[in-house]
Amino acid sequence: MTDQKIYQASTTAPVNIAVVKYWGKRDPKLNLPTNSSVSVTLSQADLRTHTTAACSSTFGSEDSLLLNSSPQDVSGARTQACFRELRSLRSALEVSDSSLPKISSLPLRIVSENNFPTAAGLASSAAGFAALVRAIANLYELPASPTELSRIARQGSGSACRSLFGGYVAWQMGEKDDGSDSLAVQVAPASHWPSMRAAILVVSAEKKGVSSTSGMQITVATSKLFKRRAEVVVPESMKLMEKAILDKDFETFGEVTMRESNSFHATCLDTFPPIFYLNDVSRAAIRVVEDINEKAGKIVAAYTFDAGPNAVIYFEEENADKVAGVLKSALGGLDGWQVSEVKEQDHSELDARAVQVLKDGVSRVILTSVGEGPIKTEESLINASGEPVKK
Amino acid sequence: MTDQKIYQASTTAPVNIAVVKYWGKRDPKLNLPTNSSVSVTLSQADLRTHTTAACSSTFGSEDSLLLNSSPQDVSGARTQACFRELRSLRSALEVSDSSLPKISSLPLRIVSENNFPTAAGLASSAAGFAALVRAIANLYELPASPTELSRIARQGSGSACRSLFGGYVAWQMGEKDDGSDSLAVQVAPASHWPSMRAAILVVSAEKKGVSSTSGMQITVATSKLFKRRAEVVVPESMKLMEKAILDKDFETFGEVTMRESNSFHATCLDTFPPIFYLNDVSRAAIRVVEDINEKAGKIVAAYTFDAGPNAVIYFEEENADKVAGVLKSALGGLDGWQVSEVKEQDHSELDARAVQVLKDGVSRVILTSVGEGPIKTEESLINASGEPVKK
């Protein structure tokens, strides 16, 4: 008689925002990067993907994935690579211990929910693939460490490998052709430097620019400045950033974060045809951060931008008034402030024109902080009959 | 008895717009650049500075300069360097030929008029210093060649050295510490490739950004990508551009022009703090040029931007319909089209959003072409009594 049991496991996984930027693959199939990178994992209270992975002989013959109630194509090479690698690890366990149920060959049913709008350009693929890999690893009861799983998640989405850890995370680019040493490691846990905060200014929808997957490869192929960044600039940034995190040195952390964002976007502009992710709203956010730092007489706030116009502004809790308090008084009408305990501060130091551009162009603010890695949960998105839970 | 005669001479000088960009000085005092550059001289029918230089013992004791009826400070090191060098050449002539009037020590009175708004960010300092140097050289009847005068004009404003020639002009960076080999030479006269046209989209006034003089030195000091541009990228661009001009090869001319503009602005963005000259209107101009080229199936239009948001779009006369005709129909309501014979063309290939951004953000259009170098004129801005002519 066939085993008709429904096996399942659930996890949540965080978003991460890089402070030393990943841009460019040396092997697009394996998602092997041209340079190492570092990110801060953000709190799942504000931004997370919740994923349940289940498998059962009753699930028909095909793997499936439901994201925010929409069926997703799982036939792509990236998703297939994750499924294949995880099944292979489970299969090896089953061979070595015949008492284990033979579930590696059963069809997978994955259900995912984000607690933030997917379209907002908030690194949802990183959280998504991290949650998918972590949930299936839980389902298969794999003994693999987060670093071992990062090798798999990387093949789904490069930056997903960093979302398998909380705190401050490095993705070491590695050297091997097979990618076996291109892995994420924790630089420091969130508890090492728990006072790190982030204010995300979500810029009102603009027509989506070049996707990061295709954009970065056009940069590698055409930018004449890119190689210098990958070979010289980033290795310097990596050293400075890892030391800044270990020393909890915000001024260095902030300067390297801002320079790294600028350097990455400079190579986008040097791409042919050029790629623009920063717009006038992004420029206004940069100006406002510069004004805040000038008033403080040192770097207390640091902007960074990924492949889109949203600004992520890092600051320490002790400077919450000087950074978030000033932003709140300048942009107080926006959605997102109500959850915070930040007290509004005088913002007369901010360029009035930049404030107006932000007021017109930012749709909401998300205040968050450094957070933990994936968290196993009993809350399931798949019920006992194997059906997605209706929300 | 003292000679009370008023000596005078007049010239006009053109604007030039670089296609291989000058950005960065290796010697700020002598205006010695970190890299060579190439420009196209634009027609003086549309953009020129008209300058009369006069000297007389009746002019009191001080040199003076009137630009568009406003007295200018001539005590700055740059203007003083031009006066000193030109006086020194005249003085040498006077020593070698005692029949010449001794005018090198007389006070200079310079009167200048631009036929375009100074504030529009249209390289007015290049035309201004070229006209000043050329007018005084005429006044002093110096036998110096344009290349010899370029060494002097360079000390007033770096890019002014290129405005001493018409057509296609290279500024060779030189190697010597004293700057004696940092000179402009003509790559080809306007008559070699007379079909070159330029459409300038003047972007509505925005608060002035970082001046190019200070901006470029912050780039030299802080950008980690800049050195690569100066040492590797520009030398390649120079070779390609000079050959493209000699071959009248617009596709290469256009690609190098666009890549050079992007590379220069990329190093501005990589400056810390970052320098932005391109705004959303500039980005829309880039998008529209890309759409025009895509429709044409080849590069028929090439954008370039200096230290401000104005777009200069080069094209050849044979493609006037495909470029200016399309722009005219898209942006027909703007000031500046009336002078042109361009026929409006269908512009449905252009991104509608970009067209709207241009309509909202461009204040006027200037249609012009490659043109001649400084032209001696009898039209004087100083009357027989030595007073500025009232306009």
Side-chain angles (χ1 to χ4, degrees), chain A residues 61-67 70-84 87 108-111 129 132 136:
Chain A
S61 62
E62 297 202 341
D63 300 329
S64 68
L65 170 58
L66 208 64
L67 172 61
S70 300
Q72 307 290 306
D73 179 17
V74 296
S75 68
R78 296 155 150 241
T79 309
Q80 285 297 312
C82 293
F83 287 176
R84 185 174 61 244
R87 281 191 162 113
L108 285 161
R109 181 171 291 175
I110 319 284
V111 179
F129 272 103
L132 178 141
I136 299 175

mmCIF file of all heavy atoms in Angstrom, chain A residues 61-67 70-84 87 108-111 129 132 136:
data_model
loop_
_atom_site.group_PDB
_atom_site.id
_atom_site.type_symbol
_atom_site.label_atom_id
_atom_site.label_comp_id
_atom_site.label_asym_id
_atom_site.label_seq_id
_atom_site.Cartn_x
_atom_site.Cartn_y
_atom_site.Cartn_z
ATOM 1 N N SER A 61 1.381 14.357 -10.028
ATOM 2 C CA SER A 61 2.718 13.999 -10.509
ATOM 3 C C SER A 61 3.662 15.193 -10.593
ATOM 4 O O SER A 61 4.826 15.027 -10.908
ATOM 5 C CB SER A 61 2.594 13.348 -11.887
ATOM 6 O OG SER A 61 2.040 14.281 -12.783
ATOM 7 N N GLU A 62 3.141 16.387 -10.334
ATOM 8 C CA GLU A 62 3.991 17.551 -10.581
ATOM 9 C C GLU A 62 4.233 18.401 -9.344
ATOM 10 O O GLU A 62 3.370 18.523 -8.481
ATOM 11 C CB GLU A 62 3.360 18.426 -11.668
ATOM 12 C CG GLU A 62 3.270 17.685 -12.997
ATOM 13 C CD GLU A 62 3.169 18.629 -14.179
ATOM 14 O OE1 GLU A 62 2.801 19.807 -13.975
ATOM 15 O OE2 GLU A 62 3.489 18.185 -15.298
ATOM 16 N N ASP A 63 5.415 18.990 -9.291
ATOM 17 C CA ASP A 63 5.723 19.954 -8.240
ATOM 18 C C ASP A 63 4.937 21.237 -8.512
ATOM 19 O O ASP A 63 4.665 21.571 -9.669
ATOM 20 C CB ASP A 63 7.220 20.287 -8.254
ATOM 21 C CG ASP A 63 8.086 19.055 -8.031
ATOM 22 O OD1 ASP A 63 7.634 18.130 -7.310
ATOM 23 O OD2 ASP A 63 9.208 19.012 -8.577
ATOM 24 N N SER A 64 4.569 21.950 -7.455
ATOM 25 C CA SER A 64 3.842 23.201 -7.654
ATOM 26 C C SER A 64 4.250 24.240 -6.613
ATOM 27 O O SER A 64 4.751 23.897 -5.547
ATOM 28 C CB SER A 64 2.336 22.962 -7.591
ATOM 29 O OG SER A 64 1.965 22.599 -6.258
ATOM 30 N N LEU A 65 4.026 25.490 -6.961
ATOM 31 C CA LEU A 65 4.368 26.607 -6.073
ATOM 32 C C LEU A 65 3.291 27.669 -6.190
ATOM 33 O O LEU A 65 2.963 28.121 -7.287
ATOM 34 C CB LEU A 65 5.730 27.192 -6.475
ATOM 35 C CG LEU A 65 6.175 28.522 -5.835
ATOM 36 C CD1 LEU A 65 6.221 28.429 -4.319
ATOM 37 C CD2 LEU A 65 7.542 28.943 -6.374
ATOM 38 N N LEU A 66 2.738 28.053 -5.041
ATOM 39 C CA LEU A 66 1.714 29.085 -4.970
ATOM 40 C C LEU A 66 2.319 30.254 -4.181
ATOM 41 O O LEU A 66 2.730 30.082 -3.034
ATOM 42 C CB LEU A 66 0.510 28.519 -4.216
ATOM 43 C CG LEU A 66 -0.890 29.047 -4.510
ATOM 44 C CD1 LEU A 66 -1.312 28.738 -5.942
ATOM 45 C CD2 LEU A 66 -1.879 28.394 -3.532
ATOM 46 N N LEU A 67 2.399 31.441 -4.795
ATOM 47 C CA LEU A 67 2.921 32.618 -4.087
ATOM 48 C C LEU A 67 1.824 33.661 -3.998
ATOM 49 O O LEU A 67 1.304 34.101 -5.029
ATOM 50 C CB LEU A 67 4.142 33.196 -4.823
ATOM 51 C CG LEU A 67 4.657 34.539 -4.301
ATOM 52 C CD1 LEU A 67 5.109 34.458 -2.852
ATOM 53 C CD2 LEU A 67 5.788 35.071 -5.182
ATOM 54 N N SER A 70 -1.091 33.005 -6.086
ATOM 55 C CA SER A 70 -0.940 32.863 -7.545
ATOM 56 C C SER A 70 -0.015 31.697 -7.873
ATOM 57 O O SER A 70 1.101 31.631 -7.350
ATOM 58 C CB SER A 70 -0.316 34.107 -8.165
ATOM 59 O OG SER A 70 -1.117 35.214 -7.931
ATOM 60 N N PRO A 71 -0.471 30.794 -8.773
ATOM 61 C CA PRO A 71 0.410 29.694 -9.174
ATOM 62 C C PRO A 71 1.644 30.240 -9.892
ATOM 63 O O PRO A 71 1.538 31.162 -10.704
ATOM 64 C CB PRO A 71 -0.461 28.886 -10.148
ATOM 65 C CG PRO A 71 -1.864 29.326 -9.892
ATOM 66 C CD PRO A 71 -1.770 30.743 -9.428
ATOM 67 N N GLN A 72 2.818 29.705 -9.571
ATOM 68 C CA GLN A 72 4.074 30.138 -10.176
ATOM 69 C C GLN A 72 4.635 29.006 -11.025
ATOM 70 O O GLN A 72 4.455 27.834 -10.712
ATOM 71 C CB GLN A 72 5.101 30.486 -9.091
ATOM 72 C CG GLN A 72 4.617 31.476 -8.036
ATOM 73 C CD GLN A 72 4.453 32.875 -8.584
ATOM 74 O OE1 GLN A 72 5.383 33.418 -9.168
ATOM 75 N NE2 GLN A 72 3.270 33.450 -8.425
ATOM 76 N N ASP A 73 5.342 29.386 -12.060
ATOM 77 C CA ASP A 73 6.021 28.407 -12.903
ATOM 78 C C ASP A 73 7.225 27.841 -12.136
ATOM 79 O O ASP A 73 8.055 28.598 -11.654
ATOM 80 C CB ASP A 73 6.484 29.110 -14.184
ATOM 81 C CG ASP A 73 7.219 28.158 -15.116
ATOM 82 O OD1 ASP A 73 7.100 26.935 -14.931
ATOM 83 O OD2 ASP A 73 7.896 28.656 -16.036
ATOM 84 N N VAL A 74 7.286 26.514 -11.998
ATOM 85 C CA VAL A 74 8.434 25.923 -11.292
ATOM 86 C C VAL A 74 9.374 25.214 -12.264
ATOM 87 O O VAL A 74 10.317 24.545 -11.848
ATOM 88 C CB VAL A 74 8.004 24.918 -10.198
ATOM 89 C CG1 VAL A 74 7.223 25.621 -9.101
ATOM 90 C CG2 VAL A 74 7.194 23.761 -10.796
ATOM 91 N N SER A 75 9.098 25.369 -13.557
ATOM 92 C CA SER A 75 9.911 24.634 -14.543
ATOM 93 C C SER A 75 11.228 25.348 -14.857
ATOM 94 O O SER A 75 12.084 24.790 -15.535
ATOM 95 C CB SER A 75 9.110 24.431 -15.838
ATOM 96 O OG SER A 75 8.922 25.691 -16.466
ATOM 97 N N GLY A 76 11.378 26.575 -14.364
ATOM 98 C CA GLY A 76 12.603 27.331 -14.644
ATOM 99 C C GLY A 76 13.830 26.639 -14.050
ATOM 100 O O GLY A 76 13.733 25.919 -13.037
ATOM 101 N N ALA A 77 14.973 26.876 -14.667
ATOM 102 C CA ALA A 77 16.201 26.194 -14.274
ATOM 103 C C ALA A 77 16.577 26.498 -12.819
ATOM 104 O O ALA A 77 17.127 25.635 -12.117
ATOM 105 C CB ALA A 77 17.339 26.614 -15.200
ATOM 106 N N ARG A 78 16.254 27.728 -12.350
ATOM 107 C CA ARG A 78 16.669 28.105 -11.000
ATOM 108 C C ARG A 78 15.907 27.325 -9.933
ATOM 109 O O ARG A 78 16.497 26.795 -8.989
ATOM 110 C CB ARG A 78 16.446 29.599 -10.818
ATOM 111 C CG ARG A 78 17.302 30.421 -11.748
ATOM 112 C CD ARG A 78 16.672 31.772 -11.988
ATOM 113 N NE ARG A 78 17.720 32.732 -12.246
ATOM 114 C CZ ARG A 78 17.975 33.791 -11.519
ATOM 115 N NH1 ARG A 78 17.213 34.091 -10.477
ATOM 116 N NH2 ARG A 78 18.972 34.593 -11.800
ATOM 117 N N THR A 79 14.566 27.272 -10.102
ATOM 118 C CA THR A 79 13.758 26.528 -9.134
ATOM 119 C C THR A 79 14.086 25.038 -9.221
ATOM 120 O O THR A 79 14.213 24.347 -8.196
ATOM 121 C CB THR A 79 12.262 26.767 -9.409
ATOM 122 O OG1 THR A 79 12.036 28.180 -9.501
ATOM 123 C CG2 THR A 79 11.400 26.204 -8.301
ATOM 124 N N GLN A 80 14.222 24.547 -10.444
ATOM 125 C CA GLN A 80 14.544 23.129 -10.643
ATOM 126 C C GLN A 80 15.872 22.758 -9.980
ATOM 127 O O GLN A 80 16.015 21.687 -9.401
ATOM 128 C CB GLN A 80 14.607 22.804 -12.141
ATOM 129 C CG GLN A 80 13.225 22.714 -12.800
ATOM 130 C CD GLN A 80 12.384 21.582 -12.211
ATOM 131 O OE1 GLN A 80 12.847 20.457 -12.067
ATOM 132 N NE2 GLN A 80 11.148 21.891 -11.839
ATOM 133 N N ALA A 81 16.842 23.663 -10.060
ATOM 134 C CA ALA A 81 18.146 23.384 -9.433
ATOM 135 C C ALA A 81 17.977 23.225 -7.926
ATOM 136 O O ALA A 81 18.560 22.324 -7.310
ATOM 137 C CB ALA A 81 19.136 24.512 -9.752
ATOM 138 N N CYS A 82 17.166 24.096 -7.307
ATOM 139 C CA CYS A 82 16.948 23.991 -5.850
ATOM 140 C C CYS A 82 16.264 22.676 -5.511
ATOM 141 O O CYS A 82 16.689 21.965 -4.588
ATOM 142 C CB CYS A 82 16.116 25.171 -5.348
ATOM 143 S SG CYS A 82 16.963 26.769 -5.454
ATOM 144 N N PHE A 83 15.181 22.342 -6.241
ATOM 145 C CA PHE A 83 14.474 21.086 -5.976
ATOM 146 C C PHE A 83 15.431 19.894 -6.124
ATOM 147 O O PHE A 83 15.448 18.990 -5.291
ATOM 148 C CB PHE A 83 13.300 20.912 -6.966
ATOM 149 C CG PHE A 83 12.112 21.799 -6.712
ATOM 150 C CD1 PHE A 83 11.017 21.797 -7.585
ATOM 151 C CD2 PHE A 83 12.058 22.645 -5.598
ATOM 152 C CE1 PHE A 83 9.912 22.604 -7.355
ATOM 153 C CE2 PHE A 83 10.944 23.461 -5.371
ATOM 154 C CZ PHE A 83 9.877 23.443 -6.252
ATOM 155 N N ARG A 84 16.209 19.888 -7.185
ATOM 156 C CA ARG A 84 17.080 18.755 -7.492
ATOM 157 C C ARG A 84 18.137 18.557 -6.402
ATOM 158 O O ARG A 84 18.366 17.456 -5.901
ATOM 159 C CB ARG A 84 17.754 18.982 -8.851
ATOM 160 C CG ARG A 84 18.599 17.830 -9.354
ATOM 161 C CD ARG A 84 19.103 18.116 -10.766
ATOM 162 N NE ARG A 84 19.937 19.309 -10.816
ATOM 163 C CZ ARG A 84 19.648 20.425 -11.485
ATOM 164 N NH1 ARG A 84 18.516 20.532 -12.165
ATOM 165 N NH2 ARG A 84 20.469 21.451 -11.464
ATOM 166 N N ARG A 87 16.465 17.360 -3.112
ATOM 167 C CA ARG A 87 16.044 15.950 -3.240
ATOM 168 C C ARG A 87 17.255 15.011 -3.171
ATOM 169 O O ARG A 87 17.185 13.926 -2.593
ATOM 170 C CB ARG A 87 15.332 15.725 -4.583
ATOM 171 C CG ARG A 87 13.899 16.195 -4.561
ATOM 172 C CD ARG A 87 13.139 15.719 -5.815
ATOM 173 N NE ARG A 87 11.703 15.797 -5.598
ATOM 174 C CZ ARG A 87 10.885 16.642 -6.249
ATOM 175 N NH1 ARG A 87 11.365 17.458 -7.176
ATOM 176 N NH2 ARG A 87 9.593 16.644 -5.976
ATOM 177 N N LEU A 108 6.352 17.864 -4.795
ATOM 178 C CA LEU A 108 6.382 18.924 -3.776
ATOM 179 C C LEU A 108 5.255 19.915 -4.018
ATOM 180 O O LEU A 108 4.961 20.271 -5.165
ATOM 181 C CB LEU A 108 7.721 19.675 -3.857
ATOM 182 C CG LEU A 108 8.942 18.952 -3.295
ATOM 183 C CD1 LEU A 108 10.230 19.573 -3.841
ATOM 184 C CD2 LEU A 108 8.919 19.013 -1.761
ATOM 185 N N ARG A 109 4.639 20.358 -2.949
ATOM 186 C CA ARG A 109 3.664 21.456 -3.033
ATOM 187 C C ARG A 109 4.153 22.554 -2.081
ATOM 188 O O ARG A 109 4.275 22.326 -0.881
ATOM 189 C CB ARG A 109 2.277 20.965 -2.628
ATOM 190 C CG ARG A 109 1.211 22.041 -2.710
ATOM 191 C CD ARG A 109 -0.181 21.467 -2.504
ATOM 192 N NE ARG A 109 -0.576 20.628 -3.636
ATOM 193 C CZ ARG A 109 -1.722 19.917 -3.668
ATOM 194 N NH1 ARG A 109 -2.551 19.922 -2.639
ATOM 195 N NH2 ARG A 109 -2.012 19.183 -4.726
ATOM 196 N N ILE A 110 4.439 23.705 -2.665
ATOM 197 C CA ILE A 110 4.980 24.815 -1.871
ATOM 198 C C ILE A 110 3.967 25.951 -1.866
ATOM 199 O O ILE A 110 3.447 26.320 -2.934
ATOM 200 C CB ILE A 110 6.295 25.365 -2.497
ATOM 201 C CG1 ILE A 110 7.195 24.241 -2.998
ATOM 202 C CG2 ILE A 110 7.003 26.311 -1.537
ATOM 203 C CD1 ILE A 110 7.932 23.496 -1.956
ATOM 204 N N VAL A 111 3.701 26.487 -0.701
ATOM 205 C CA VAL A 111 2.799 27.651 -0.601
ATOM 206 C C VAL A 111 3.533 28.753 0.156
ATOM 207 O O VAL A 111 4.088 28.505 1.237
ATOM 208 C CB VAL A 111 1.483 27.277 0.122
ATOM 209 C CG1 VAL A 111 0.580 28.505 0.230
ATOM 210 C CG2 VAL A 111 0.773 26.151 -0.616
ATOM 211 N N PHE A 129 13.358 32.590 -2.130
ATOM 212 C CA PHE A 129 14.170 31.382 -2.341
ATOM 213 C C PHE A 129 14.784 30.877 -1.034
ATOM 214 O O PHE A 129 14.949 29.671 -0.848
ATOM 215 C CB PHE A 129 15.248 31.615 -3.401
ATOM 216 C CG PHE A 129 14.761 31.342 -4.792
ATOM 217 C CD1 PHE A 129 14.441 32.377 -5.653
ATOM 218 C CD2 PHE A 129 14.594 30.032 -5.247
ATOM 219 C CE1 PHE A 129 13.981 32.123 -6.945
ATOM 220 C CE2 PHE A 129 14.140 29.767 -6.539
ATOM 221 C CZ PHE A 129 13.822 30.815 -7.389
ATOM 222 N N LEU A 132 11.967 29.007 0.577
ATOM 223 C CA LEU A 132 11.708 27.757 -0.158
ATOM 224 C C LEU A 132 12.739 26.691 0.197
ATOM 225 O O LEU A 132 12.404 25.549 0.526
ATOM 226 C CB LEU A 132 11.713 28.059 -1.664
ATOM 227 C CG LEU A 132 11.497 26.889 -2.621
ATOM 228 C CD1 LEU A 132 10.621 27.318 -3.803
ATOM 229 C CD2 LEU A 132 12.818 26.339 -3.157
ATOM 230 N N ILE A 136 11.924 23.313 2.522
ATOM 231 C CA ILE A 136 12.112 21.947 1.994
ATOM 232 C C ILE A 136 13.184 21.216 2.816
ATOM 233 O O ILE A 136 13.048 20.014 3.113
ATOM 234 C CB ILE A 136 12.482 21.977 0.495
ATOM 235 C CG1 ILE A 136 11.350 22.645 -0.310
ATOM 236 C CG2 ILE A 136 12.737 20.564 -0.034
ATOM 237 C CD1 ILE A 136 11.669 22.841 -1.791
#
